Amino acid sequence: MKNGKWKMENTLKLFLMLCVLSGGVFAQTTEPKPSAPKTVKIPAVKETKLKNGLTIVVVERKNVPLVTVQMLIKAGAQGESKKQAGLANITASLLSKGTKTRSATQIAEEMEFLGADLTSAVNWNSSVVSVNVMSDKIEKAFGVIADTILNPAFSQSEIDLYKSQSLDGLKYNLTQPGFLTNYVASVFSYKEHPANGTPESIESLVRADIVKFHGDKFLPENSVLVFVGDITLKSATDLADKYLAGWESGKKNEIARRIGVLTRIGGTDNSQIPIVNRILVVDLPNSGQASVSFAKHLTNGRVACSPVNRILSCQPNASYFPALALNSLLGGGYSSRLNQEIRIKRGLTYGAGSSFSWRDQNSNFGTRTQTKNESAAEVAELVVAELKKLSEGDIPEAELNPRRLVLTGGFGRNLETNQGLAAALADLYSFRLPADTLNTFMTSVMAVNDKQIKQFAAENFNSGDIIIVGDYSVFKDDLAKRFPNMDIEVIKADELDITKENLRKAN
């Protein structure tokens, strides 16, 4: 025992001596400079259509015998009413829970036998069904995908199970400050509704609603079938023709829904308008932490489109890339400004960030962080200060360039996988953007300068909302002190009902 202790002590002394002799080589004295952005070569994107209007997109990659298939349906939560919030989500979720000829168990077993992973997802703009499978098993897997899209059973037992699980999960989530913040912001700030639904909307959904949504929205002319991997355009088209040629077109004229998407270039200087217009507190007594967010609905959308010969021609909105760079700078990672100020410098949170949620003609912007109830007001003040600095402070190139490189690096890394490239293509097609937009992403991001970011912030980050969910009794006085002359609206968490105009349950 003594001998072991002697060895340990002397090993430690030797290590410390080497640190001294090496001049502190183990300490990082200067920040490493980011390397130059790598170029990303996008393989040719080939496209064709079936007679029923289904668009087929193929990118061939022969290096690995894998194929990713994504069926994009251009209908998401935006296609449902507030009273039926969650309808798109339940429709997509039930696709793999049984068809007219296969049970949910049979679908799961077939996918497992093929070594494939069948998933479905819904966002505000679209629904996606995807599978990743070995190329020699693509036909069997595709047959299952086609069956789930064309012939879902929507059995009552699966509907009841989904609703029960969703309601249980929502009941728990509504006690969590972070979830409650986004839940309230969807209505209070963004004038939308929660894509996953409310307790009232989920409870009210019936099978007829799901069948109708599927029949109205899941149409070939409203869908794009993306193949990426070890497959040719001919093979992909043959598969689609074999299994989906019978998919009947709804013969919908969708151009009217998309016309009117305009680019907002420049705009009114709103720098004199206060950043915060409203403060909403959802009082959650005895909560372990408080969630603090800034939320703003913006009129800057993802695309700018115009009709050309009755066909919409779309390009990225001129403000899209400055917005991406701004978000990377403000809250797009560990070294972003919000995380630096709130976590690294002050230790008030485990993490702080921000994000955009893009729509055709508009977008939703929000920051996010959680902290102790005692520091909720301080964090809110720090968030506002960082937003103000974006339009009034300096944005040095030494700070901006690494944030641009974070965007281009993440973009290039995502495109290295079949799933990542398929998702990127599906995103473009959901907004009617041309596939070659992928080739201009990096140069567009690297061209963003500090003036564009400052202009975007000055024009957009004003008259927003601060939303705090936490124990109001703890930070009430501090909040009033830091935001004097501002009306603070307070709603008790157990009285909250976002389906009501005033967000409160009826007396």
Side-chain angles (χ1 to χ4, degrees):
M1 184 69 181
K2 290 182 178 180
N3 188 45
K5 183 179 180 181
W6 181 88
K7 287 182 179 180
M8 184 179 296
E9 290 176 348
N10 281 276
T11 300
L12 180 59
K13 290 178 182 178
L14 179 60
F15 174 77
L16 294 173
M17 190 187 324
L18 287 172
C19 289
V20 173
L21 292 175
S22 62
V25 70
F26 294 94
Q28 181 70 56
T29 56
T30 58
E31 292 184 7
K33 294 182 179 180
S35 59
K38 294 182 178 180
T39 58
V40 176
K41 186 177 181 180
I42 310 298
V45 180
K46 302 173 183 178
E47 181 181 318
T48 188
K49 279 182 180 288
L50 295 186
K51 291 180 180 180
N52 59 10
L54 175 64
T55 299
I56 301 171
V57 178
V58 176
V59 177
E60 295 183 38
R61 279 180 164 172
K62 300 294 186 180
N63 55 324
V64 178
L66 287 171
V67 180
T68 293
V69 183
Q70 286 202 2
M71 176 66 83
L72 167 74
I73 297 91
K74 298 173 188 175
Q78 97 282 12
E80 63 196 18
S81 66
K82 290 183 179 181
K83 290 184 178 180
Q84 293 184 321
L87 178 56
N89 195 46
I90 188 173
T91 302
S93 298
L94 292 176
L95 293 177
S96 62
K97 301 304 181 183
T99 69
K100 295 175 182 178
T101 57
R102 291 177 170 94
S103 67
T105 301
Q106 287 175 317
I107 291 173
E109 289 177 346
E110 285 189 57
M111 288 292 103
E112 184 179 9
F113 180 76
L114 295 171
D117 183 23
L118 177 63
T119 61
S120 60
V122 172
N123 57 39
W124 188 259
N125 307 295
S126 60
S127 303
V128 176
V129 180
S130 62
V131 69
N132 192 50
V133 68
M134 297 292 290
S135 53
D136 62 344
K137 297 179 176 64
I138 181 63
E139 179 163 2
K140 291 182 179 179
F142 190 78
V144 178
I145 295 176
D147 192 26
T148 62
I149 293 170
L150 268 60
N151 308 303
F154 298 131
S155 68
Q156 190 61 50
S157 60
E158 291 290 349
I159 293 172
D160 293 341
L161 178 60
Y162 176 90
K163 289 174 64 173
S164 175
Q165 292 175 337
S166 296
L167 289 169
D168 286 346
L170 191 53
K171 182 179 179 181
Y172 168 78
N173 286 334
L174 288 174
T175 67
Q176 304 304 302
F179 179 89
L180 261 175
T181 301
N182 295 327
Y183 186 76
V184 172
S186 66
V187 174
F188 183 73
S189 302
Y190 305 143
K191 307 304 178 185
E192 295 178 346
H193 61 263
N196 290 332
T198 66
E200 295 80 8
S201 67
I202 293 172
E203 189 65 58
S204 70
L205 292 176
V206 297
R207 185 178 185 276
D209 299 326
I210 301 168
V211 171
K212 185 176 188 306
F213 186 88
H214 178 267
D216 290 345
K217 306 297 184 181
F218 282 62
L219 302 169
E221 71 272 24
N222 197 40
S223 305
V224 180
L225 182 59
V226 181
F227 293 84
V228 177
D230 185 19
I231 191 169
T232 64
L233 177 63
K234 184 181 184 306
S235 297
T237 305
D238 289 344
L239 273 178
D241 195 47
K242 179 178 179 179
Y243 290 97
L244 297 173
W247 192 3
E248 293 185 3
S249 169
K251 296 181 180 179
K252 304 290 185 181
N253 181 6
E254 59 184 275
I255 191 170
R257 185 172 65 87
R258 294 281 176 160
I259 290 178
V261 184
L262 304 175
T263 305
R264 182 182 174 189
I265 302 175
T268 305
D269 182 2
N270 296 315
S271 58
Q272 300 306 312
I273 301 176
I275 290 175
V276 181
N277 181 47
R278 302 181 296 180
I279 297 179
L280 173 66
V281 174
V282 177
D283 187 13
L284 192 64
N286 302 314
S287 62
Q289 288 189 323
S291 173
V292 181
S293 292
F294 172 87
K296 178 72 192 298
H297 178 73
L298 310 181
T299 56
N300 282 285
R302 176 74 170 84
V303 293
C305 302
S306 58
V308 178
N309 297 326
R310 295 188 59 78
I311 298 176
L312 283 179
S313 175
C314 301
Q315 297 294 329
N317 192 320
S319 62
Y320 175 67
F321 293 106
L324 291 185
L326 177 150
N327 187 69
S328 180
L329 182 75
L330 177 68
Y334 186 81
S335 58
S336 64
R337 287 184 172 186
L338 286 176
N339 202 61
Q340 287 276 351
E341 289 298 323
I342 301 174
R343 174 181 174 166
I344 297 174
K345 290 184 180 181
R346 293 174 175 82
L348 297 176
T349 183
Y350 284 113
S354 62
S355 60
F356 284 91
S357 295
W358 294 99
R359 317 288 187 246
D360 276 353
Q361 303 180 59
N362 49 68
S363 58
N364 297 328
F365 173 80
T367 68
R368 60 188 179 277
T369 190
Q370 291 197 170
T371 187
K372 297 181 296 183
N373 282 290
E374 290 81 358
S375 53
E378 180 185 359
V379 167
E381 189 176 50
L382 289 170
V383 169
V384 174
E386 288 307 311
L387 290 168
K388 191 173 184 180
K389 287 179 186 177
L390 288 171
S391 58
E392 299 181 2
D394 294 329
I395 304 177
E397 179 64 17
E399 180 187 15
L400 177 56
N401 191 52
R403 305 315 305 169
R404 290 187 298 233
L405 292 174
V406 166
L407 291 172
T408 57
F411 174 79
R413 185 171 57 252
N414 288 339
L415 297 192
E416 289 178 357
T417 66
N418 289 347
Q419 298 99 314
L421 180 53
L425 286 168
D427 178 67
L428 293 180
Y429 276 91
S430 71
F431 288 109
R432 274 44 174 199
L433 289 168
D436 61 10
T437 304
L438 289 176
N439 293 309
T440 61
F441 180 91
M442 288 195 168
T443 54
S444 297
V445 168
M446 295 306 295
V448 174
N449 58 48
D450 60 331
K451 292 181 180 178
Q452 291 173 307
I453 293 176
K454 295 179 73 169
Q455 180 182 352
F456 185 96
E459 292 175 0
N460 293 280
F461 291 161
N462 51 79
S463 297
D465 302 323
I466 288 291
I467 301 176
I468 304 176
V469 179
D471 191 337
Y472 183 49
S473 65
V474 177
F475 58 82
K476 177 181 179 179
D477 294 339
D478 194 25
L479 187 64
K481 178 181 177 181
R482 293 177 187 271
F483 292 89
N485 304 318
M486 283 214 61
D487 292 332
I488 299 171
E489 184 177 2
V490 182
I491 301 176
K492 291 283 187 181
D494 57 6
E495 296 175 0
L496 181 69
D497 184 352
I498 65 170
T499 66
K500 299 294 191 299
E501 188 174 346
N502 65 358
L503 305 181
R504 291 169 171 81
K505 295 177 181 178
N507 292 329

